[in-house]
C-alpha cells in the first residue's frame, strides 16, 4: 500500500480481493486529535469519486471539538482506482467486497459510513453481511427502492455523448443536465462540481470513470420495477441512521421514505433544499446536520 501526503489528506493505494489497485483519500490518518473517535468512511455514487467528499471531509477532520479521521474511497473503475478488465465486476457485490478490503487495509474495525446513491446501496449489503463494521450510517439520497424514472435520467445524461472541450463548457453541461433540480447552486458551486466529476488531462476535462459503467445502464429495462433492498434494510434498521434527501430528487420517493420511517422510527431525516440527486454534502446546513448526528458517537 503506497501513501503520498498532499497536504489536506494522504493518497493511499491498496489491493482488492481480486488484485485490483484501488485508491482512497485519508484525512488525518494518525495523530492524537482523532484518537479514540470512530472514523468516517465515505462511499461515492455510481460514476463519482472521492473528490465529492473533499469539502465535507475537511470540515469533519478539522472540527475544533471532535475531529475525526475521514476516508473517502474511489470505487473500482472510478477516479484513481484501476479500471477492471472484466466489466461484469462493476456490480454491488464486488464493490461491497472492495469496501471490506479497504477497511482491512486501513485497520478499520468499526466506523461511521456515509453512502451517496450507489454507495448507500453498498451499505445495505454491508449491513446484511458485515454489520460488525457499522457503528452508524448516513444515506445520501438513497434507500431500498430506486425509482426507475430517476435512474433512467441518470442513464440518459451519462450516455448523451457530450464531451466538454474546456472547463467552461464542462460547467455548462452540468448546469444543462442538473440546473432545474439544483437551484441552490451558485456559479462557484457548479465549477467545484465540474472539478469533482471530471479529470484534468492536459488542461482539459475528461470523464473520470470507465465508460462501461454508464454503458451498462443502456441494457436495463426501466419499464419494470427495479429489485428492492428491503430485506437488507432490515439490518440497517437496527443501526443509528440518518437519511438526507434532495428536495428535487427523482431517485428517492416520499413513499419510500415513509416506509423507511415506519421500519426505522428513529431515523434522522434531513432535507437538502434546492438540490436534486444526489445532494452536495458541503452546502447549506448539511455539514452542521451531519456534525450533530456524528456528535452522538465517540
Amino acid at each position: 500500500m503506497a501513501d503520498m501526503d498532499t497536504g489536506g489528506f494522504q493518497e493511499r493505494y491498496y489491493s482488492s480481493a481480486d488484485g485490483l489497485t484501488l485508491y482512497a483519500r485519508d484525512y488525518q490518518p494518525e495523530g492524537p486529535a482523532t484518537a479514540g473517535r470512530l472514523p468516517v468512511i465515505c462511499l461515492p455514487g455510481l460514476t463519482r469519486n472521492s473528490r465529492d467528499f473533499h469539502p465535507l471531509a475537511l470540515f469533519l477532520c478539522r472540527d475544533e471539538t471532535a475531529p475525526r479521521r475521514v476516508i473517502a474511497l474511489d470505487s473500482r473503475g472510478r477516479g484513481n482506482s484501476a479500471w477492471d478488465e472484466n466489466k461484469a465486476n462493476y456490480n454491488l457485490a464486488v464493490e461491497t467486497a472492495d469496501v471490506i478490503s479497504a477497511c482491512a487495509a486501513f485497520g478499520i474495525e468499526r466506523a461511521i459510513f456515509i453512502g451517496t446513491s450507489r454507495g448507500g446501496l453498498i451499505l445495505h449489503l454491508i449491513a446484511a453481511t458485515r454489520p460488525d463494521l457499522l457503528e452508524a450510517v448516513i444515506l445520501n439520497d438513497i434507500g431500498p427502492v430506486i425509482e426507475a424514472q430517476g435512474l433512467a435520467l441518470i442513464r440518459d445524461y451519462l450516455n448523451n455523448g457530450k464531451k466538454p472541450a474546456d472547463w467552461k463548457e464542462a460547467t455548462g453541461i452540468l448546469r444543462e443536465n442538473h440546473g432545474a433540480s439544483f437551484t441552490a447552486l451558485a456559479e462557484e458551486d457548479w465549477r467545484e462540481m465540474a472539478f469533482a466529476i471530471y479529470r484534468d488531462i492536459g488542461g482539459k476535462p475528461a470523464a473520470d470513470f470507465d465508460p462501461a459503467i454508464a454503458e451498462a445502464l443502456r441494457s436495463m429495462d426501466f419499464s419494470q420495477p427495479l429489485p428492492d433492498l428491503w430485506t437488507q434494510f432490515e439490518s440497517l434498521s437496527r443501526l443509528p441512521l440518518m437519511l438526507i434527501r434532495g428536495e428535487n430528487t427523482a431517485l428517492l420517493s416520499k413513499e419510500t421514505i415513509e416506509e423507511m420511517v415506519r421500519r426505522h422510527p428513529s431515523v434522522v431525516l434531513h432535507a437538502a433544499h434546492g438540490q436534486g440527486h444526489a445532494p452536495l454534502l458541503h452546502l447549506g446546513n448539511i455539514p452542521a446536520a451531519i456534525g450533530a448526528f456524528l456528535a452522538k458517537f465517540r
Side-chain angles (χ1 to χ4, degrees), residues 56-93:
L56 178 67
L58 292 178
F59 173 81
L60 296 177
C61 77
R62 294 174 178 174
D63 185 276
E64 293 183 357
T65 57
R68 292 183 186 270
R69 179 186 185 187
V70 180
I71 299 173
L73 305 182
D74 282 355
S75 301
R76 63 175 60 208
R78 292 86 157 178
N80 290 331
S81 287
W83 292 11
D84 199 321
E85 292 184 4
N86 181 2
K87 308 309 179 184
N89 283 338
Y90 295 131
N91 65 67
L92 289 176

Side-chain angles (χ1 to χ4, degrees), residues 118-171:
R118 188 178 181 90
L121 298 179
I122 289 171
L123 290 177
H124 281 71
L125 300 191
I126 292 177
T129 59
R130 284 294 307 275
D132 57 294
L133 289 173
L134 307 177
E135 176 71 19
V137 167
I138 299 174
L139 297 177
N140 183 19
D141 212 57
I142 196 68
V145 176
I146 298 175
E147 297 303 312
Q149 176 188 6
L151 194 56
L153 290 172
I154 294 174
R155 173 203 61 195
D156 293 344
Y157 73 68
L158 287 179
N159 290 287
N160 65 14
K162 292 185 178 180
K163 297 181 180 180
D166 54 37
W167 287 100
K168 182 179 180 181
E169 192 170 310
T171 302

